[in-house]
Amino acid sequence: MSGLLALTGPGGQERMDVALARLSFLGGDIQRTWQDAGAFLAVTRKTWESGTDFAGPVLILESDDLVVAADATLYGRAELARGLAAKGVTPDGSTPSHLIQAAYRAWGSDLAGHLIGDFAFVVWDRRERKLTAARDPLGMRVLYFASTGGRVALASSARALAELTDRADDLNLSALGAQVAGFIWGNGTDTVYRGVDPVPAGHTLTWEQGRLRVGRFWYPATAPSKTPSDIGDAALELRSLLGVATLDRMGSGTTAIWMSGGWDSTAVFAAGQHALPAEERSRLRPISISYPEGDPGREDEFIREVADRWSATPHWIESDTIPLLDGLEERAATADEPPAHLYELWNRELAKGTRAIDARVALDGCGGDNLFQVSDVVMADHLRSGQVRKFATRARSRQKQGWKYLARAGILPLLPETLVRGGEWAAGRRLPRHYMEMAPAPWLHPEFSRTHELRRRDLDVLNSVHADSHAQSENLLFVMAPAWSWAGGYMRSRLLQEGVEARSPLLDLRVVEFALSRPVEERSDGTETKILLRRAMNGLLPAAVLAPRSTRTGVTAGFSARRMRESYPVLLARLFSEPMRLADLGIVEPARLREAADRWQHQGDESIRIRLFDAMRVEFWLRGRETRFGGGVRPPTVPAGPGKSSRRFEEVVTHV
């Protein structure tokens, strides 16, 4: 990873230097700037990231026609080379910057659609005086933009961009309120600074002669293939794709795989081991967390079986030694935006384990839940297509969940929102309008929520994906929703502080597109999930590991509950030790927040455990913001109206 900064037109050097200093958490060791009358570009990078396994030694690539600033790790280079050769273009070098330069020469501003990898980049066309920037389809690298006075500025840090464009005081209260309320789906659509927005994942931004355009370049399949191959052939193809994606992401030396005992990270490990020559298999080494017996997170026995199958020796981390909330107040105070990830320190411990085995690249199993399983929303698809018997069979198997669950998963998706809104009016209370919608935290001020349309902010994202079935829409949402890249980008930047770059083979674009092309029935048949992924691992993972499990394993909720029980008394005391900024901004009703905190401490109300964390991280960030401004309180500009606009988030986004 690297820190990027770009501005069209001449930039004030002093202000640019301050903004670049804000990016030091992404670099800070080496940096370079470039400018002419048309643009200013800057890159900062950590020394170890200048190696050939990473972004390389070229910070800014300058030629007569183009200037490139890139935060990128590119894969699928053989395919790219063939595409460039077909266009008669030969790269001038092998770094990501050289390949991006060559791709621009071949395809112009459409280049991002020909790249596979984790990337955010800026290309300045010196002859056309045109800026092109893009962010990879899954949003693994962050990039923000702000337009001002016919110019555009971009950076890898929202705070750096806010300060560069004089927006640091202009807080986006809608974004702050949504985070406090537990409205997770709108996260990543904007930032806490008004006028500073993410370049959306899978989008290209262009600026030319004062005109700014942002458009999508990646369009995933909205329906599975109508003529899919046999599942046996598909399993072999998936095995091969995952093996290639894993090898592409490995470093030249030892590479860590953060391996649990589930089906995702073990699939990455097994596919990599299968693809590696036998004499090189020791290069891919598991890092695993050991939980005590009886803990719902424990998968030690499965992990050992997998490791033994490939004669590997895991590096173990004891869960009892892992912190969760240590230094939350201090971390929030120094962050660009309110911290986005409950499991930051948990992931940092995995990164420290990675460094302990002398590795800097860590692979994970992120993407398996997104692509290879689906919820009971398939019941709605059964009803819509007249498959009443299938609906009834699945509904009977879910009777223990209760009729409300069945109605929400199987019937609500079929109802028009106008009908549900009419039901709300008749019942005189809030009803869910989407089966994955979450109710707000009880301490959110109702008037604030109405004024800023926080509920609509989430619903806009939930309803933004349209596919041929509710099941396909769900999988697309779990790939495309900004919340995933919002959390992932935050975490990847924090892991960089531990000297590690995290990579996700299951989120390789080739794997993603193949998975989305397969029939929904291969994701779940009502009794089993991840059917295709598990079939692909037949013979590579022990049968006992691949077998269906009567109860879910690897659940980190027990670990987080213990750590919160230990840390919350002190943190909550600090939270209520002085007047709350969230109350001053009209976001929170302090009495209701205190009442809820007391209820959790004395009655163990699990429904608010994670949301208390959300409230604390935002409040501590607001207090830290005052400290950053030199101790004085600089109230934000309060906007008059709204800003732009299943599974527990804790469980879905545990890893990066």
Side-chain angles (χ1 to χ4, degrees), residues 135 143-145 188-191 196-201 214 482 486 644:
R135 190 174 172 208
L143 189 63
Y144 303 93
F145 76 99
T189 57
D190 52 11
T191 74
V196 176
D197 296 302
V199 175
V214 180
W486 174 74
K644 292 174 60 179

Side-chain angles (χ1 to χ4, degrees), residues 607-625:
S607 68
I608 58 174
R609 177 168 60 88
I610 305 299
R611 292 181 172 190
L612 286 171
F613 166 77
D614 292 334
M616 286 190 286
R617 66 181 173 85
V618 178
E619 174 66 21
F620 291 152
W621 180 82
L622 286 169
R623 295 179 188 179
R625 179 175 170 275

Side-chain angles (χ1 to χ4, degrees), residues 239 269-270 273-274 281 302-312 537-543 545:
R239 174 187 293 191
F269 175 67
Q273 294 286 45
H274 180 66
R281 286 173 179 161
F302 291 128
I303 293 169
R304 289 192 179 96
E305 279 198 68
V306 174
D308 289 346
R309 164 67 178 80
W310 293 99
S311 302
M537 292 299 109
N538 276 344
L540 302 187
L541 290 175
V545 174

Side-chain angles (χ1 to χ4, degrees), residues 6-164:
L7 178 69
T8 56
Q13 190 61 50
E14 181 178 349
R15 176 166 290 189
M16 301 301 284
D17 288 344
V18 170
L20 189 56
R22 298 293 184 222
L23 294 169
S24 61
F25 69 99
L26 293 171
D29 295 341
I30 51 177
Q31 66 183 47
R32 186 187 169 198
T33 62
W34 174 92
Q35 66 177 324
D36 67 5
F40 175 98
L41 300 179
V43 174
T44 181
R45 188 172 296 158
K46 296 190 180 300
T47 303
W48 61 269
E49 285 264 294
S50 63
T52 55
D53 285 345
F54 305 100
V58 176
L59 278 77
I60 294 181
L61 180 61
E62 180 183 0
S63 60
D64 291 341
D65 55 339
L66 304 173
V67 184
V68 177
D71 172 20
T73 307
L74 298 182
Y75 314 115
R77 292 190 175 211
E79 298 98 309
L80 178 59
R82 287 193 292 270
L84 291 172
K87 300 290 287 187
V89 176
T90 301
D92 296 332
S94 60
T95 71
S97 294
H98 284 101
L99 297 178
I100 290 168
Q101 177 195 63
Y104 186 89
R105 287 173 176 159
W107 297 291
S109 293
D110 295 329
L111 77 161
H114 299 269
L115 304 176
I116 296 175
D118 306 331
F119 59 78
F121 63 78
V122 176
V123 178
W124 174 247
D125 189 323
R126 303 175 76 172
R127 294 170 181 166
E128 299 293 331
R129 306 191 72 74
K130 177 180 180 180
L131 181 143
T132 298
R135 190 174 172 208
D136 66 82
L138 283 305
M140 294 297 100
R141 302 294 169 92
V142 297
L143 189 63
Y144 303 93
F145 76 99
S147 58
T148 174
R151 305 163 73 192
V152 65
L154 300 102
S156 304
S157 158
R159 177 184 166 199
L161 205 53
E163 294 185 358
L164 178 67

Side-chain angles (χ1 to χ4, degrees), residues 3 8 42 108 171 185 208 248 604:
T8 56
L171 292 187
W185 295 108
E208 187 174 18
D248 268 1

